[in-house]
Amino acid sequence: MYAVRQHVFGPPETLVYEEVETPSPGPGEVRLAVTAAGVHLMDTVLRAGRDLGMALPGLPMTPGREAAGVVDAVGAGVDAGWLGARVVAYLGPERNGGYATHAVASAEALHRVPDGVDDATAVAMIGTGRTAVGVLEQAALSAGDVVVVTAAAGGMGTLLVQAARQAGARVIGLAGGRRKTEAVLEQGADGAVDYTPAGWERQLGEALRGAASTVVLDGVGGRLGRSAAESLGPGGRHLYYGWASDEGHFTTFTEAELEQYRITSHLVVGPSLFALPGGIRRLEETALDRAARGLFRPVVQSFPLAHAAQAHAALETRATMGKVVLRP
């Protein structure tokens, strides 16, 4: 089989397309003939070997934690009824292996892909979609909300814009460049602001029509996330879940600042996400169901598996829109 392999930590060019031995599933596992593999910002962080206080994977390795495909082999103790099934799975933070023509997954991680959902959409739901569901459940949006979404043209941002509009909220999306702001409007946002020019905050104020926002959904962090959060009025809610900014950190407020601005600020991933009723698997099932019912319509940008390095470079330089997927 063919796989994308990483032998050293470093830039995107460290990802190489190689022929390797096809794995066999162990007890409780299945093997997938992969049809789509998700690329996540965390994949680029791990590839670079950045120290985030977590253990880095051992090398050499095949990256990729999200995969969809057809089960072509089962290990001991696994129901043979899985053979031939279209499935999607989050392989796990330590397993990886999705950037390949074949990947091994725990049978317990499998979800059958619903009818009418393509494999790229399924991959988008198993990672990005499940996080979006968790963020939305904690945000509890309503028709009375005015919502600002950072990185609104990204994989998460696109889904959050769609869901906020479905809740009846007024939505302003922040994105980098005209092409992306146009895409945000195509997803149903009431307004879109390009954050790349100096003074973009004034444009956000105009898009808000002089009013304050009530909710900021922030996946960017840094100075941009802070500026977005400063659009909140008293009683506003700042929910943060990412740090895609160049500064590489969440937007946070001190207790004194929260009291001064009369807002709340909560990290809605990590322990907050895992503690939601039903756990992560229920979030995955909900995301897949939303896709099957047309409530989540992910924008997907695909790259050939052999071009994984280009996919990473494009993601890191913010040249992508929506969910990035590799196709063998």
Side-chain angles (χ1 to χ4, degrees), residues 102-136:
H102 292 79
V104 170
S106 167
E108 293 181 349
L110 299 179
H111 297 272
R112 292 184 185 270
V113 178
D115 292 341
V117 175
D118 62 62
D119 294 341
T121 294
V123 162
M125 292 302 101
I126 207 65
T128 303
R130 75 178 190 184
T131 304
V133 170
V135 169
L136 290 164

Side-chain angles (χ1 to χ4, degrees), residues 262-324:
R262 290 185 287 165
I263 63 173
T264 59
S265 181
H266 299 289
L267 176 65
V268 289
V269 291
S272 295
L273 197 69
F274 300 141
L276 292 173
I280 291 297
R281 185 168 182 85
R282 197 268 304 171
L283 297 179
E284 294 170 348
E285 292 170 348
T286 301
L288 287 166
D289 178 67
R290 287 183 68 91
R293 293 188 290 134
L295 299 177
F296 274 168
R297 305 178 306 281
V299 173
V300 173
Q301 186 166 349
S302 297
F303 291 79
L305 177 64
H307 296 174
Q310 291 94 316
H312 272 225
L315 186 59
E316 289 180 309
T317 58
R318 299 176 179 80
T320 61
M321 288 197 297
K323 178 65 177 180
V324 178

